Amino acid sequence: MGSKPVPDASEIFPVSIATASGSRVEAVLQWPIFKGQFCVEEILAPVFADSHEDDDDDDEREGWQERKGMGKSEPENGYQAQHEIATLVQRFFRNVHTKNPILDSAVLDSYVYDIEKHGFGWSGKSCLVLLVCALGSVSAPYNPHPSSLSVTEPPTKYPSFEISAQYFSAAKKRLGIVMSSNKLIAVQCLFLAGIYHMYTMNQFAAWKMFNAASVSCEGYLHRKEKSKASDTASSMFSSWSNEPTRHLEQRIYWSCLKSELELCSQLDTSHSGLNELDYPHAFPSPPREISTSVAFQSSTSFFEQPRSAQILSPHTSATTAPPLPEDRQEDELTWFYYLAEIALRKVELRMSEIFAISPPAHSSCSSTSATPAGLEEPRRPIKTEDLLSSANEFELQLNLWYSCLPHVLKFPLDSRDPCHDERLQYLRQRYWWIVSMLYRPFLYHLIHHPTPPQALATRMTVYARKGLEIDANFILSNVITHRHHGAWLTIRAVTGNSLVLGAAKIAGMMMPAGWRDAITAARNCLVYWESEVRDAGALRKVVEAVEREI
């Protein structure tokens, strides 16, 4: 049996796709165009540093003092008046919960009612309410034009780091008790603790919380499976739970999964393995009052996207129906956003399976030695033509995703202005980021190998120019002053995009309109956050060094 013909070297993409994609700032800084002038190991070092190295004794003493007062109705001084808990819960649902709807508002209200009557205890319920209050007091409404006063938020004492820290300090003293249980509320508490650390720019602690939440989520699902082993229809995903609980489980699973993976991808850390669970629900189920709405029913094609860009009818106009109450409209938009983001991440995950498999051309994959028994055959270098075909396929899938979006989620693609709604803003940013990763290998190729095979040059140039345009749009549309769950991830994405623009300029490529303004905006973003974000100072120096070169 003859071996397959070895492709000509000019047909092979010159480096690994993972290197060329440059999804992390550190990867872009290792591009040859920068001549090794940056020490990438130093950038993330502050993120992993312990900011409380000398506080262990104080923490232990404070914890012991509070434990001695466990019988008291309120565990420590400094809390806001009890009636203000309701205000903080409301702020949480408006500012935080809209991006990850992992709580049942009616259930949380019952917890708040008990606490207002009896005070905070040491249960998971108290821990959850304390975390909600911490997030409610540190978050702020989205304002697409931060230079002007928000019309939706009258002046208040919130956001307040001091008040938020008081609530979180009390919550984390209960977190150890909650972690030892195998209940859904433990997963919720750990996940919200991770969200809090993302808001307060402590990414290492957030990674540990998201990892623990994901492990706890899997443990909870396995407990369900084992406890119903006698049921012939049993599995960890059976209908054993009642419908509201089952829907909540699905939402918690997806929130843990996506939050952990996106943070791991930037910290370059391992993940819990929750993504390897054979989870059968393609999408979490919304509450019945949302799933039965006219708008939701008319958008089913959007939530049934295929694995390939086959013909699928785009979303059509919904049947005319009476307008929903404002709170129902908000709930519906939250659910559309949540499911749309999951659908987009599914495309991203399929894309990553293709765009991160090619080893460097000088790797051992060209060896003729036999593959050891039980091991996969080493992956061969990928042909540029095949990579272009894959890019075209994923471009069609992403276009399909956008065409199927419900009308309320249709963000503008041709504008650099921030979106009017926070959910649309983040959805567009995620879309642009994924499309940028799709085009970036071809941009890398043209920066470092400016004379590709003639038959491929036109298509590669088109993709590279699209990528540069999107990189500039991503930066210029960013609201740099808004604190949210993904603020640190956005800061790093903005930085990476600015470095790619700088690399293209150094290489003499045709630049998109506003490219220099975009690099300046990225530097300004890093200056704004430098006093709080641990790696922002190092990233600012890198961007400034590239600015001097161009």
Side-chain angles (χ1 to χ4, degrees):
M1 188 176 195
S3 60
K4 294 182 180 179
V6 177
D8 185 87
S10 63
E11 300 176 2
I12 299 298
F13 198 82
V15 296
S16 73
I17 308 307
T19 298
S21 293
S23 60
R24 300 175 66 238
V25 171
E26 291 77 8
V28 177
L29 289 176
Q30 293 181 64
W31 285 7
I33 191 75
F34 294 120
K35 302 175 183 178
Q37 60 181 300
F38 303 112
C39 181
V40 298
E41 288 79 9
E42 295 178 355
I43 293 176
L44 275 178
V47 175
F48 290 94
D50 190 348
S51 60
H52 303 288
E53 290 178 343
D54 301 322
D55 294 345
D56 290 347
D57 292 341
D58 292 340
D59 287 347
E60 185 175 342
R61 190 181 308 111
E62 182 182 347
W64 167 245
Q65 289 172 348
E66 181 158 330
R67 291 279 182 164
K68 290 194 296 183
M70 285 179 67
K72 298 179 181 178
S73 61
E74 289 197 14
E76 65 184 277
N77 296 325
Y79 287 120
Q80 305 305 297
Q82 288 186 348
H83 70 272
E84 290 196 359
I85 294 175
T87 300
L88 296 177
V89 169
Q90 185 181 40
R91 290 177 61 88
F92 167 83
F93 276 107
R94 185 175 68 236
N95 301 336
V96 181
H97 195 251
T98 51
K99 276 76 71 182
N100 285 286
I102 66 157
L103 300 184
D104 184 310
S105 59
V107 173
L108 188 68
D109 285 343
S110 70
Y111 297 167
V112 171
Y113 177 77
D114 287 343
I115 288 168
E116 288 178 340
K117 285 183 62 178
H118 307 293
F120 288 101
W122 293 88
S123 66
K125 298 176 182 180
S126 288
C127 184
L128 187 66
V129 173
L130 287 164
L131 288 165
V132 165
C133 290
L135 284 165
S137 53
V138 78
S139 61
Y142 171 74
N143 181 6
H145 305 291
S147 58
S148 61
L149 291 176
S150 171
V151 297
T152 61
E153 180 76 357
T156 68
K157 58 188 172 185
Y158 307 114
S160 168
F161 285 102
E162 181 180 357
I163 294 173
S164 180
Q166 290 171 0
Y167 280 106
F168 186 73
S169 176
K172 69 181 183 180
K173 291 165 187 172
R174 293 154 174 78
L175 208 51
I177 302 173
V178 174
M179 284 180 66
S180 63
S181 72
N182 196 7
K183 298 178 180 178
L184 205 57
I185 196 170
V187 187
Q188 292 170 313
C189 288
L190 290 165
F191 180 80
L192 291 184
I195 295 288
Y196 178 84
H197 285 305
M198 292 298 287
Y199 265 87
T200 55
M201 300 299 172
N202 190 349
Q203 288 73 37
F204 176 56
W207 167 61
K208 291 193 291 185
M209 291 297 102
F210 287 144
N211 183 276
S214 297
V215 171
S216 295
C217 182
E218 183 173 357
Y220 169 82
L221 293 173
H222 279 298
R223 178 177 71 84
K224 282 184 58 182
E225 179 185 33
K226 304 304 180 186
S227 64
K228 299 298 290 182
S230 60
D231 187 346
T232 56
S234 172
S235 76
M236 69 174 69
F237 315 109
S238 71
S239 59
W240 170 49
S241 303
N242 58 50
E243 184 178 277
T245 300
R246 187 167 65 253
H247 292 176
L248 193 62
E249 292 166 357
Q250 296 167 11
R251 282 136 55 188
I252 292 171
Y253 167 84
W254 283 109
S255 289
C256 289
L257 178 66
K258 63 190 182 72
S259 294
E260 183 192 19
L261 289 182
E262 69 180 359
L263 188 53
C264 286
S265 70
Q266 288 301 310
L267 291 177
D268 196 24
T269 51
S270 60
H271 55 78
S272 65
L274 185 64
N275 61 312
E276 299 168 7
L277 199 64
D278 187 19
Y279 196 71
H281 301 292
F283 293 97
S285 304
R288 183 178 296 275
E289 61 271 17
I290 300 297
S291 63
T292 56
S293 70
V294 173
F296 196 90
Q297 289 292 315
S298 64
S299 302
T300 54
S301 64
F302 165 62
F303 305 116
E304 297 171 357
Q305 287 198 63
R307 288 185 60 88
S308 62
Q310 55 186 277
I311 300 299
L312 178 64
S313 299
H315 167 66
T316 56
S317 299
T319 304
T320 303
L324 293 172
E326 186 175 349
D327 59 339
R328 282 283 303 278
Q329 291 180 30
E330 278 297 300
D331 290 344
E332 192 171 74
L333 180 56
T334 288
W335 269 99
F336 276 135
Y337 161 78
Y338 188 58
L339 296 174
E341 190 195 28
I342 290 173
L344 186 57
R345 287 177 186 272
K346 285 175 174 287
V347 178
E348 179 187 1
L349 289 172
R350 293 197 293 270
M351 196 175 83
S352 68
E353 294 172 0
I354 301 297
F355 276 58
I357 63 171
S358 177
H362 56 75
S363 73
S364 60
C365 66
S366 58
S367 171
T368 57
S369 60
T371 302
L375 297 180
E376 288 185 326
E377 180 184 355
R379 293 185 173 103
R380 300 177 63 82
I382 190 169
K383 295 173 64 175
T384 305
E385 175 66 42
D386 293 340
L387 189 62
L388 282 164
S389 297
S390 294
N392 180 68
E393 169 68 17
F394 283 113
E395 187 178 48
L396 291 173
Q397 288 190 39
L398 289 164
N399 290 340
L400 175 64
W401 173 88
Y402 182 79
S403 69
C404 291
L405 282 176
H407 176 72
V408 293
L409 283 183
K410 277 286 172 65
F411 49 79
L413 291 172
D414 57 352
S415 172
R416 290 175 169 177
D417 293 330
C419 295
H420 70 280
D421 186 274
E422 184 178 23
R423 288 154 291 193
L424 272 66
Q425 173 77 354
Y426 299 155
L427 198 60
R428 184 174 68 175
Q429 284 189 324
R430 193 72 194 176
Y431 172 82
W432 274 345
W433 191 86
I434 294 171
V435 175
S436 176
M437 293 305 104
L438 183 66
Y439 297 146
R440 192 162 290 178
F442 308 106
L443 178 59
Y444 176 97
H445 193 298
L446 294 178
I447 288 174
H448 300 97
H449 307 274
T451 55
Q454 190 62 38
L456 308 177
T458 300
R459 284 186 289 166
M460 292 178 68
T461 301
V462 169
Y463 280 157
R465 288 178 178 171
K466 285 182 178 180
L468 288 173
E469 181 76 24
I470 288 174
D471 287 344
N473 289 348
F474 185 100
I475 298 172
L476 292 171
S477 66
N478 182 42
V479 182
I480 67 172
T481 59
H482 183 53
R483 182 185 303 275
H484 58 92
H485 169 189
W488 181 74
L489 301 170
T490 301
I491 291 167
R492 286 180 61 84
V494 161
T495 305
N497 287 2
S498 70
L499 296 175
V500 169
L501 289 169
K505 179 61 179 176
I506 293 170
M509 295 189 66
M510 182 180 295
M511 301 298 290
W515 68 271
R516 193 176 292 276
D517 290 339
I519 295 177
T520 301
R523 172 169 47 80
N524 291 341
C525 175
L526 292 166
V527 170
Y528 178 84
W529 287 104
E530 186 171 354
S531 64
E532 189 176 346
V533 175
R534 300 181 184 188
D535 54 341
L539 294 176
R540 176 186 55 78
K541 292 176 183 177
V542 166
V543 172
E544 289 175 345
V546 172
E547 279 187 303
R548 288 192 294 270
E549 194 167 347
I550 58 178

